[in-house]
Amino acid sequence: MSKPKAKKPATQNIVNRRARFDYELGEEIVAGLVLTGMEVRAAREGHVQLKGSFVSLRNGELWLNNASFSLRLNVRGEANSRSVDTSARKLLVSKKQLSNFTEAKKQGMTIVPTKLLTNGKFIKVVIALGKGKKNYDKRQAIKRRDQDRETRRLISNR
């Protein structure tokens, strides 16, 4: 008699919250990601950080740089030894999407990863075109957020 399969815990998508704060985001696309087995395991367990990561164009290809994958090492005797890997990873996009992003990059736009999707068969990353915000724009965003929080608190107290 076989054992019933244990349900996998639902993994949440990894979100780069800093990207929305630092950039005015435009067009988004979903790109595939070339990963090794240990990197896939880290992504499924949620041990990935996109803060500070960016996408660059090299030799007609898109590369994800500075994304931190906390890899679990298979070392006997050590319970949870982890190593952080920030090496560049190749992104898989169509030629049409690549040409659109190349043109936008020439116009001074930045390509920023916003989410890492881990709930399907494949692990994908959502990348967006972004234009950097100025400091006064960021201050206005903080001010607006504080005002919204204050009004919500006043409404809920009634």
Side-chain angles (χ1 to χ4, degrees), residues 4 12 17-18 20 30 38 48 75 84 86 93 129 156:
Q12 71 281 7
R17 294 176 62 205
R18 190 73 194 186
R20 295 228 180 267
V30 178
M38 290 173 62
V48 179
V75 180
V84 177
T86 59
V93 294
L129 288 172
S156 66

Side-chain angles (χ1 to χ4, degrees), residues 44-57:
R44 297 241 186 253
E45 292 174 351
H47 294 287
V48 179
Q49 190 170 22
L50 293 175
K51 184 177 172 183
S53 60
F54 60 97
V55 176
S56 64
L57 265 161

